[in-house]
Amino acid sequence: MSQPLDLRREQSIVVDEFYRDTWIEINLEAIKYNITQMKEKLPQDSNIIAVVKANAYGHGIVPVAKKAIESGANGLAVALLEEAIKLRRAAIDVPILVLGLVPPRYAPIAAENNITLPFFQREWLDEINQYDLKKPLHLHLKFDTGMGRIGLRTEEELEDVLQGLIGNPKVQLTGVFTHFATADETDLNFFYEQNERFNRLLMVFKEKWDLPVTIHIGNSAASIRFPKSVHNCIRFGISMYGLYPSATVKEEHQINLRPAFSLHSKLVHVKKLSKGESVSYGRTYIAEADEWIGTVPIGYGDGWSRKLQGMSVLVEGNRMPIVGRICMDQLMIRMDREYKIGTKVTLIGKQGNDNIEIDEIADYLETINYEIPCMLNERIPRVYVN
Ligand SMILES: *Cc1c(COP(=O)(O)O)cnc(C)c1O
């Protein structure tokens, strides 16, 4: 499994042409495993919406979406209408929900493609009425119960919106949802408060609306921690990719997960520097003795942040530090001995007995694991392994 070109020929599903020795491996079986683990915790009649926004958290939207559906997901969620359309063009026909607000003027495109939009403003709904829709537009009503991002907040707003909805032939309400701000934290007080606000709004809603709707409130954190109390559907994001939403949820370990994402490259150059010689721009690294230095063809132009100077990579299962400034397309590592050109370098994932987790990279960059696969851009090919 050392040759990306071999992988492309034998095991990959969707890979555009590439000629570089730096690649991301996506283990689709891990996606399936994580969905299966989640399903086992949920009540029998519960559904899973696989969240594949931002190119499936950097994993590749179409292959992940297809694998998720094959593994039992009943629908998909994205952030943007263009992401939803990309899925439809890939012949994916399950329900797709956009999570972010789409300007009303694009409602005809959403309706035509059977894409469900979120809504929560009366003005938005009224503007939809101006447009000629080929089919009824499917909508999910969003409550802001404390995230403070999008959604209606009060019973008055809810009643106003429902007035615009009742008897409106252009739209069809198929879902109601909210989003938690602190479901992954140790202190769950605000989580419970959001739950209460949601239940209050839901009660008012149910008094006025008796048609069946999907109710979904659980992101990964809420669904893993409270699988029996997240209504009849969850929005499964980060943990479908095998990552825990936070250190707290990881420590609680209420679910087994397998990361799907790993990042690899190869040594393109190996040399011995003498004591006092320098590496990379600005000469921030000076060899302290005679040292073996390897060059790896990945840099901040690929999204491998310059701030990762000092982080380690794996060569034959051993950690080697990144020395000197990370360049746009290349970086250098200090090695314990000479290695052959072409030796595999693992920047994220297992190699030998060691494993560099995405969480470790995130900690080093003082960010969250979500950001790491998202920041590695399309210049790095994704290779799919089943
Ligand atoms: C991104 C997102 C999710 C998924 O959250 P995870 O923590 O990745 O599971 C769910 N719902 C909404 C509204 C989102 O924006």
Side-chain angles (χ1 to χ4, degrees):
M1 214 191 277
S2 61
Q3 266 287 346
L5 292 175
D6 290 352
L7 276 175
R8 177 170 62 188
R9 233 178 293 122
E10 289 162 19
Q11 292 172 292
S12 69
I13 298 166
V14 188
V15 180
D16 295 331
E17 247 178 313
F18 65 93
Y19 306 102
R20 66 183 302 193
D21 274 339
T22 297
W23 71 102
I24 288 164
E25 242 168 71
I26 304 296
N27 179 354
L28 291 173
E29 284 311 305
I31 303 272
K32 179 175 183 174
Y33 176 84
N34 300 327
I35 290 176
T36 308
Q37 292 299 302
M38 189 68 242
K39 252 190 151 30
E40 279 173 12
K41 293 176 69 74
L42 293 170
Q44 282 286 319
D45 57 349
S46 229
N47 285 332
I48 292 183
I49 297 175
V51 182
V52 293
K53 64 193 180 190
N55 196 29
Y57 294 41
H59 291 60
I61 188 166
V62 171
V64 169
K66 286 185 171 165
K67 189 66 185 187
I69 295 162
E70 183 197 310
S71 311
N74 317 78
L76 300 167
V78 292
L80 310 174
L81 182 55
E82 33 277 75
E83 294 171 332
I85 288 170
K86 186 167 187 178
L87 293 167
R88 284 285 179 255
R89 290 198 177 137
I92 291 170
D93 59 8
V94 301
I96 301 174
L97 170 66
V98 178
L99 297 168
L101 189 75
V102 175
R105 64 183 177 282
Y106 302 123
I109 298 168
E112 194 182 333
N113 288 285
N114 283 318
I115 292 162
T116 308
L117 300 185
F119 83 111
F120 44 88
Q121 298 153 334
R122 181 68 193 264
E123 309 88 288
W124 189 94
L125 204 51
D126 292 345
E127 194 179 331
I128 296 293
N129 289 329
Q130 300 171 16
Y131 301 108
D132 184 24
L133 305 183
K134 294 210 175 74
K135 311 172 194 169
L137 175 65
H138 288 195
L139 296 177
H140 282 201
L141 179 56
K142 178 83 187 264
F143 297 163
D144 177 8
T145 54
M147 177 68 184
R149 193 165 63 179
I150 54 173
L152 62 81
R153 301 166 65 88
T154 64
E155 291 178 19
E156 294 73 54
E157 286 173 279
L158 174 56
E159 280 169 16
D160 190 26
V161 152
L162 286 176
Q163 265 178 24
L165 208 57
I166 290 166
N168 187 335
K170 294 214 167 186
V171 296
Q172 197 179 329
L173 184 73
T174 53
V176 174
F177 70 118
T178 194
H179 191 51
F180 292 115
T182 61
D184 60 343
E185 291 185 6
T186 312
D187 179 352
L188 285 165
N189 281 316
F190 191 67
F191 169 79
Y192 295 129
E193 203 173 313
Q194 280 197 265
N195 255 304
E196 265 171 43
R197 286 187 208 168
F198 183 74
N199 290 335
R200 232 177 295 135
L201 286 169
L202 192 63
M203 230 167 59
V204 175
F205 170 80
K206 281 183 168 168
E207 281 166 15
K208 310 254 150 96
W209 195 268
D210 49 15
L211 297 172
V213 287
T214 301
I215 299 168
H216 49 100
I217 61 173
N219 53 4
S220 296
S223 308
I224 290 168
R225 300 174 95 183
F226 306 98
K228 308 291 183 212
S229 34
V230 282
H231 298 273
N232 54 3
C233 185
I234 69 162
R235 301 186 304 274
F236 198 40
I238 194 72
S239 296
M240 179 174 73
Y241 304 97
L243 303 175
Y244 292 88
S246 66
T248 297
V249 180
K250 192 175 189 176
E251 275 156 29
E252 287 174 355
H253 204 93
Q254 296 189 39
I255 189 169
N256 277 321
L257 298 172
R258 284 188 197 152
F261 190 100
S262 59
L263 171 63
H264 311 274
S265 188
K266 288 181 180 185
L267 292 174
V268 290
H269 189 53
V270 174
K271 63 180 170 286
K272 197 173 199 176
L273 284 194
S274 304
K275 182 179 177 184
E277 290 188 300
S278 62
V279 174
S280 196
Y281 293 118
R283 306 190 70 215
T284 60
Y285 183 78
I286 309 282
E288 286 164 13
D290 292 358
E291 291 173 352
W292 286 101
I293 299 292
T295 303
V296 186
I298 180 171
Y300 65 80
D302 301 298
W304 192 252
S305 170
R306 254 171 119 256
K307 292 190 174 141
L308 287 164
Q309 179 172 343
M311 181 68 207
S312 292
V313 303
L314 297 173
V315 178
E316 292 194 2
N318 296 309
R319 289 188 178 229
M320 314 286 167
I322 297 171
V323 293
R325 287 195 184 139
I326 294 174
C327 309
M328 191 181 289
D329 320 294
Q330 302 175 75
L331 57 81
M332 275 62 78
I333 58 175
R334 187 183 67 220
M335 306 187 296
D336 57 344
R337 60 173 174 84
E338 183 177 12
Y339 291 87
K340 281 208 176 81
I341 288 169
T343 301
K344 186 173 176 180
V345 176
T346 294
L347 296 96
I348 294 174
K350 283 199 186 109
Q351 200 193 89
N353 295 323
D354 208 342
N355 182 13
I356 297 176
E357 291 187 20
I358 286 182
D359 289 354
E360 195 183 334
I361 309 282
D363 285 347
Y364 195 88
L365 290 176
E366 295 175 21
T367 183
I368 54 172
N369 53 16
Y370 292 68
E371 193 176 356
I372 307 304
C374 286
M375 80 186 190
L376 294 161
N377 63 38
E378 73 291 338
R379 211 167 74 146
I380 311 177
R382 271 69 173 164
V383 176
Y384 296 90
V385 186
N386 244 320

